[in-house]
Amino acid sequence: MPTSQRGLHRELLELIRRSEGATRAALARDTGRSRSVVAHTVAELIAEGLVVDGAVAAQRATRGRPPMQLRIVARSGYLGGVDIAHDGVAVAVASVSGLLLCRRQQPFDADADGPGALALARRLLLQSFAQLGAPPTPLALGLALPFPVHPASAMVQVPPALASWQNLDPTALLSRSFGCTVRYANDANLGAAAEHRAEASRPTAPQASLLYVRVGAGIGTGFVIGERVYAGANGLGGEIGHSAVVGGSIPCRCGRIGCLEAEVSPTALARRIGLATVDDLPAAAAGRGGVALREAGHAIGRVVAEFSNFLDPARVVIGGSLGTLGGPILEGVREAFAEHGHTEAVRRMPVSVSRLDGGAELVGAVELAAQHLYAAAA
Ligand SMILES: [Zn+2]
């Protein structure tokens, strides 16, 4: 069957994979398709060995055949995730269901050396597989990149100043080394998708829109609107890191002066607070660095609040190496929302710190690999 006609197969497989226990009736409801179309497509997935009928679902009515809960046929193997940040590389090896089994990270100047960052990711993945006692043969790899990715051409849009990333195929080394497909996407967009999924899997009603902000050596946002990540026509949606800060004076990697992500980068903040290294920032957050971090949170929050005035998201989640410190940064962001929200909804916006273990971007990268795996199967 042509790939174009497999859309519902993929959609159903994805829903079954995420819910592990969906009934045909629930799938019909969630996809808006008729029960007969869903039943027919599920029958094809079962015939292909991708899905099986599992436990009998609880039901109120006693008449008729009891509904069966569908589940994915377990596949053996591993998935890999890689998160390249401007200042470090993190990797994870995960089960096919997306559970992170092993994580490693290391500081690295990825801006200065793109091929080196990918080589480090390869080394860290090999070490992770060795630690698990597993063969280094992932079924698929997902890669989070700190640059916009064009949704149609998949072109990575790198600032001209970062010479080592120009014309670099981010998948070549990893796919050659591990012999599997490597998919990539913008880091904040993957973070937003991961946060949204985490919320949707909770028993409370899922909120269909959220704004995720990665705050670290780079600042980017990803937004989920109507259950989907919106990346913009050119993949440039949410690129708030290069918003100008009034009175800013620090050169940015993009070539301009005084961009938000240059002014409140971990390096700039450590220097402002008088710390020897960015590694001291977490400890300083509770002490003498509190004011500077609060101001940084406020500067970020101001831009994100303006965004929220426009987008009206249900909630905002802050992640990244600085964002997950919470504390004064989170307070600064909340203050900015209270000051710059045009409406009560924005002034009182629920702003929380990402609680995804391993980082939203890394979880999102693993999920990207999982999506590829199951899309390929369907
Ligand atoms: Zn910039």
Side-chain angles (χ1 to χ4, degrees):
M1 185 180 289
T3 311
S4 58
Q5 292 175 29
R6 301 287 295 185
L8 183 59
H9 292 73
R10 278 198 294 274
E11 192 179 352
L12 292 180
L13 202 54
E14 179 68 14
L15 284 169
I16 297 166
R17 185 173 73 81
R18 277 199 246 155
S19 67
E20 283 291 313
T23 62
R24 288 166 178 76
L27 291 172
R29 189 188 62 228
D30 291 349
T31 58
R33 303 297 186 106
S34 72
R35 286 196 183 206
S36 61
V37 166
V38 166
H40 179 74
T41 311
V42 166
E44 289 184 344
L45 290 172
I46 290 174
E48 290 169 32
L50 295 168
V51 168
V52 289
D53 272 314
V56 175
Q59 62 170 356
R60 291 197 193 99
T62 52
R63 281 188 302 152
R65 203 152 56 103
M68 303 294 282
Q69 291 182 321
L70 295 156
R71 62 180 174 80
I72 291 284
V73 173
R75 298 185 64 174
S76 58
Y78 298 92
L79 299 170
V82 174
D83 175 26
I84 309 269
H86 294 290
D87 61 352
V89 175
V91 308
V93 173
S95 70
V96 285
S97 63
L99 181 70
L100 269 53
L101 303 169
C102 182
R103 295 198 312 267
R104 280 170 184 260
Q105 60 181 36
Q106 194 171 308
F108 188 81
D109 186 352
D111 281 2
D113 185 1
L118 294 165
L120 174 58
R122 175 182 172 275
R123 276 201 306 282
L124 293 175
L125 278 168
L126 287 172
Q127 290 167 4
S128 301
F129 280 111
Q131 186 182 336
L132 287 170
T137 51
L139 296 164
L141 285 172
L143 175 59
L145 293 172
F147 307 113
V149 176
H150 195 287
S153 68
M155 203 177 83
V156 184
Q157 301 173 74
V158 181
L162 304 188
S164 75
W165 281 95
Q166 302 302 330
N167 304 314
L168 177 66
D169 177 356
T171 68
L173 173 72
L174 295 173
S175 61
R176 200 168 55 238
S177 300
F178 294 102
C180 68
T181 296
V182 181
R183 295 266 309 272
Y184 58 92
N186 170 261
D187 55 359
N189 287 342
L190 288 177
E195 287 294 340
H196 176 63
R197 264 191 307 277
E199 179 69 19
S201 66
R202 293 195 179 111
T204 51
Q207 293 170 308
S209 66
L210 79 87
L211 211 161
Y212 173 77
V213 192
R214 180 176 200 170
V215 182
I219 297 178
T221 62
F223 26 93
V224 172
I225 301 173
E227 305 284 342
R228 289 189 186 278
V229 172
Y230 177 76
N234 300 291
L236 300 169
E239 288 294 306
I240 64 164
H242 304 284
S243 304
V245 172
V246 177
S249 60
I250 299 175
C252 179
R253 65 175 64 83
C254 74
R256 288 193 291 268
I257 304 276
C259 292
L260 180 65
E261 70 178 38
E263 293 295 324
V264 302
S265 72
T267 313
L269 287 169
R271 199 179 302 131
R272 200 169 298 154
I273 299 167
L275 305 173
T277 154
V278 294
D279 297 336
D280 297 334
L281 277 170
R288 64 186 171 125
V291 172
L293 290 171
R294 195 175 187 125
E295 286 171 359
H298 194 280
I300 296 159
R302 178 169 186 166
V303 178
V304 181
E306 290 296 354
F307 237 46
S308 301
N309 283 327
F310 181 70
L311 278 175
D312 186 24
R315 65 195 181 99
V316 171
V317 182
I318 311 284
S321 60
L322 274 181
T324 46
L325 292 180
I329 293 224
L330 185 63
E331 288 163 21
V333 171
R334 284 180 174 150
E335 277 173 10
F337 267 82
E339 281 173 35
H340 298 285
H342 294 175
T343 60
E344 199 61 17
V346 176
R347 287 193 287 272
R348 292 172 165 274
M349 178 68 66
V351 182
S352 59
V353 170
S354 170
R355 284 177 296 182
L356 285 179
D357 190 25
E361 296 77 14
L362 199 52
V363 173
V366 166
E367 185 62 26
L368 188 63
Q371 282 169 5
H372 167 76
L373 185 65
Y374 287 102

